[in-house]
Amino acid sequence: MDLITDIDTLKNAIDLLSQSNFVTVDTEFHRETTFWPELCLIQIASPTTIALIDPLARRIDLEPFFDLMTNRDILKVFHAARQDVEIIFQLGRIIPHPLFDTQIAAMVCGYGDAISYNTLVSKITGHDIDKSSQFTDWSKRPLTKKQLRYALEDVTYLRDVYFSLCNDLQKSGRSTWMDEETNILTTPETYVLLPEVAWKKVKGRVRKPREHAILQKIAAWREREAQQRNLPRGRVLKDDALIEIAIQQPKDKIALTNLRSFPKGWERSGAVDELLKSIKEGIEIPEELLPRLQMPIPQNKINKSETEILKLLLKLVAEENAVAAKIVATSDDITKIVLQKEKADVLAMHGWRFDIFGKKALNILEGRIGIKFNHGKVRLFNITD
């Protein structure tokens, strides 16, 4: 199949795709050397039409594709949609809607935690996808026939997966279980990368409020630099350098160059003055305005027995309901439930998760139900005084 490289051919393809009530969508991209992903290929399929769009072509304009993505009469089906949606949002400032994520649906239908597309296709259709083209350089032209065949399979078999999961959801009555996760995927704020919160992605810890204030400032500086120069964050300055700067609080270029993690010669960069300015801003924040550190919960305050019992309950509930445990509750959720009981502000204490897990977790912690073995199987039982 030929790539679509001009606007007229794209318009015709989108017209044909728009005759269906759903389309399957996937993208291939390259981002190893950039901050923003470079979109290299778009694959779309309906029950009757397939299109491979070349966003790198000189005569292409993706406006018809963006129109399709926002057409509310057509469901957009992705697998593990987050990265695809992020790319579409960054390029077109739009969110595909309505949206169906087969990875989320598979978790709800009991196929396991964060199942891969290849595994899901194999389980549902019996077809094994050739993954040898998965990590090829999609920015190089021309694309090989093998690459194009792999790209097509990413959306053609997705149609069969979608039909099968829809049937499972309808039989189990769990379509609404996906709503909360899908709402996150279709919220623009999910994809807005604010420099002010970039410190949350820094690997490493600081222990003092002043250090944390400096880290916030210099992480925001790095985020702006990375976005403006379209470089990976680590190519601007690595995380360990940010942590060391926050702790040592250098005030000039000489102090910066003396840091062990600071790249040699970087002090001659034009960005060093802005970095020093950001450090100074963090140092000069008044004491009363310093951020409060969220201290880790002391291990001696966590009842490990209760935690382990709730983990066993989660496993039991997941098996009984044929749903992935990860989508019901996380380890952090369980810790918060043990510490805060009904006041725990976690997804497991709301909606369908509360019905199948949260309510039982509270009853166990309050001594109203217990767990026992019955004929080799784990069972819940009511406790009476």
Side-chain angles (χ1 to χ4, degrees):
M1 180 171 185
D2 294 331
L3 286 176
I4 296 174
T5 59
D6 65 88
I7 184 65
D8 291 333
T9 307
L10 178 58
K11 286 180 178 178
N12 291 335
I14 296 298
D15 286 343
L16 291 173
L17 289 163
S18 299
Q19 294 174 17
S20 172
N21 61 359
F22 83 94
V23 292
T24 55
V25 189
D26 189 37
T27 64
E28 307 297 342
F29 55 90
H30 182 79
R31 76 180 311 170
E32 284 74 13
T33 59
T34 61
F35 182 91
W36 305 110
E38 180 185 21
L39 182 59
C40 301
L41 186 66
I42 302 170
Q43 309 98 282
I44 316 177
S46 70
T48 58
T49 305
I50 303 170
L52 294 178
I53 305 167
D54 185 359
L56 302 179
R58 292 181 179 179
R59 294 183 297 159
I60 204 72
D61 181 343
L62 295 181
E63 198 61 36
F65 167 72
F66 294 140
D67 290 341
L68 175 64
M69 291 297 98
T70 54
N71 187 331
R72 291 183 172 272
D73 294 326
I74 302 173
L75 180 69
K76 273 66 70 173
V77 180
F78 296 82
H79 182 83
R82 190 168 186 131
Q83 282 192 316
D84 300 304
V85 175
E86 178 190 8
I87 292 170
I88 294 169
F89 177 76
Q90 294 299 337
L91 286 177
R93 311 311 292 181
I94 56 101
I95 298 288
H97 193 79
L99 183 147
F100 184 98
D101 190 325
T102 55
Q103 189 177 71
I104 294 174
M107 292 171 74
V108 168
C109 293
Y111 283 91
D113 294 340
I115 188 170
S116 72
Y117 176 68
N118 301 329
T119 303
L120 191 57
V121 167
S122 179
K123 286 188 174 183
I124 289 178
T125 72
H127 177 81
D128 291 322
I129 292 176
D130 180 0
K131 298 183 286 186
S132 59
S133 296
Q134 186 173 8
F135 298 110
T136 55
D137 187 347
W138 293 95
S139 66
K140 289 185 177 180
R141 295 294 184 269
L143 296 174
T144 66
K145 290 183 179 179
K146 189 176 182 181
Q147 283 178 301
L148 295 178
R149 183 168 60 252
Y150 171 83
L152 281 173
E153 289 188 340
D154 274 353
V155 287
T156 52
Y157 285 100
L158 189 54
R159 296 177 299 197
D160 299 324
V161 169
Y162 167 65
F163 284 130
S164 178
L165 291 174
C166 278
N167 186 51
D168 290 345
L169 289 169
Q170 186 173 10
K171 285 182 178 178
S172 62
R174 295 180 178 178
S175 297
T176 58
W177 287 25
M178 297 177 58
D179 290 348
E180 290 175 359
E181 280 68 30
T182 303
N183 287 341
I184 293 172
L185 288 173
T186 55
T187 300
E189 287 74 19
T190 301
Y191 308 99
V192 176
L193 304 177
L194 296 174
E196 292 75 20
V197 296
W199 61 270
K200 294 180 179 180
K201 295 184 178 180
V202 176
K203 294 180 180 178
R205 286 185 58 193
V206 293
R207 301 183 181 279
K208 299 177 182 179
R210 178 68 61 193
E211 296 169 355
H212 192 67
I214 295 171
L215 180 62
Q216 287 183 347
K217 293 293 184 181
I218 60 179
W221 161 82
R222 185 182 68 170
E223 190 77 359
R224 290 190 294 268
E225 280 287 307
Q227 291 184 15
Q228 291 169 7
R229 296 164 59 189
N230 196 23
L231 289 173
R233 296 178 182 92
R235 291 274 293 274
V236 176
L237 207 59
K238 295 187 181 299
D239 284 1
D240 57 350
L242 293 185
I243 295 296
E244 188 176 10
I245 289 170
I247 294 172
Q248 299 298 330
Q249 303 171 27
K251 297 179 175 62
D252 53 42
K253 291 182 182 180
I254 295 175
L256 267 177
T257 57
N258 287 334
L259 297 180
R260 183 178 58 183
S261 61
F262 199 75
K264 300 303 179 185
W266 202 90
E267 71 277 3
R268 296 190 294 273
S269 165
V272 71
D273 290 334
E274 287 299 316
L275 172 56
L276 286 168
K277 180 181 176 182
S278 297
I279 297 170
K280 185 172 183 288
E281 289 174 354
I283 291 174
E284 293 179 348
I285 292 175
E287 289 286 336
E288 64 272 16
L289 298 179
L290 288 176
R292 292 185 178 182
L293 293 179
Q294 186 174 1
M295 301 305 292
I297 300 169
Q299 290 299 309
N300 60 3
K301 289 196 174 182
I302 302 174
N303 189 312
K304 293 183 179 180
S305 296
E306 291 180 339
T307 300
E308 291 305 315
I309 289 173
L310 292 196
K311 287 181 179 179
L312 178 60
L313 172 66
L314 176 60
K315 183 178 180 181
L316 176 62
V317 163
E319 290 175 351
E320 284 183 346
N321 291 274
V323 61
K326 184 178 178 180
I327 203 171
V328 178
T330 65
S331 294
D332 286 344
D333 291 345
I334 287 175
T335 299
K336 289 178 180 177
I337 293 170
V338 167
L339 290 171
Q340 302 169 6
K341 306 300 188 289
E342 68 277 355
K343 294 181 180 179
D345 187 17
V346 295
L347 289 177
M349 298 300 287
H350 300 280
W352 63 269
R353 294 176 176 85
F354 180 74
D355 293 336
I356 69 170
F357 173 73
K359 186 186 301 182
K360 294 183 178 70
L362 291 179
N363 283 332
I364 283 180
L365 294 176
E366 292 167 4
R368 290 197 287 264
I369 62 175
I371 296 177
K372 66 178 180 180
F373 280 98
N374 185 12
H375 299 296
K377 292 186 177 181
V378 179
R379 303 290 187 192
L380 298 178
F381 67 96
N382 292 323
I383 297 174
T384 56
D385 294 329

